[in-house]
Amino acid sequence: MEIQTTKAGGILTLEFNRAERKNAITSAMYQAMADAINAADADAEVRVILFCGKPEIFTAGNDLDDFLKTSPDAPIADRPVFRFMHALSHCNKPVVAAVTGAAIGIGTTMLLHCDLVYAGDNAKFSVPFAQLGLCPEFGSSLLLPRTAGHARAAEKLMLGEAWGVQEAYDMGLISKVLPAADVLAHAQAQAAKLVALPAASIRATKRLMKSGREALQAHIDVESKMFGEMLMGAEAKEAFTAFFEKRKPDFSKFA
């Protein structure tokens, strides 16, 4: 299974399990995670959801081959990636992430919707949407400036360059930096602490902390519409063509 699911001790663990493709996420993987999150939210036995990848890679983000196979006529909100992010952003239970290696694109975006994020000293982050002729996704253009401040967020979202784990910690993106070998065990221990606490209190605390969810959803809707339009645009076509041709894209001909 490319998304390995394990339920034990009140924790549902969702593990990216496609190391041969750097844990790049396909539509089937997004749908599997969406279904798992929705089921967990309704399952009294699950008190915490935990995401993890492999020691060397969290996720390389979208599998572009698979992503571009989706019919361009399909409404953007019907794509499995949108179902996954809707499930994650609306999840009522605490979500913990254990990040080692690179978290690229949606691999970083999804962390903005998690509650506790623990990262290894080998972790790197990037949101390279502008480099692909696209715009930010799933509330990142709202949440990242809110977390890190406008200037830092603009640098990350506009230039799309990767940044390291210490800067991610300084920006408030992650909860704690640990040696890579210790990240998963620490995240599991923190998740176990949450399991032992009153479930209703934890859900209420999360709900209060996420109070502005309606405004966030409205922002995501605007982003999604713009993302869908830009995905069909000439700049995105040039970016994706260059990616598959293994060359540097040329955006100089676009106004």
Side-chain angles (χ1 to χ4, degrees), residues 109-127:
T109 301
M110 66 179 284
L111 302 178
L112 295 166
H113 296 273
C114 294
D115 301 296
L116 302 177
V117 181
Y118 301 103
D121 50 16
N122 68 338
K124 289 187 177 181
F125 309 85
S126 65
V127 279

Side-chain angles (χ1 to χ4, degrees), residues 81-82 85 106 109 113 136-140 143 216 220 223-224:
V81 58
F82 282 77
M85 285 305 301
I106 198 165
T109 301
H113 296 273
E137 57 173 7
F138 301 118
S140 56
L143 296 174
L216 174 59
I220 290 172
E223 279 180 335
S224 299

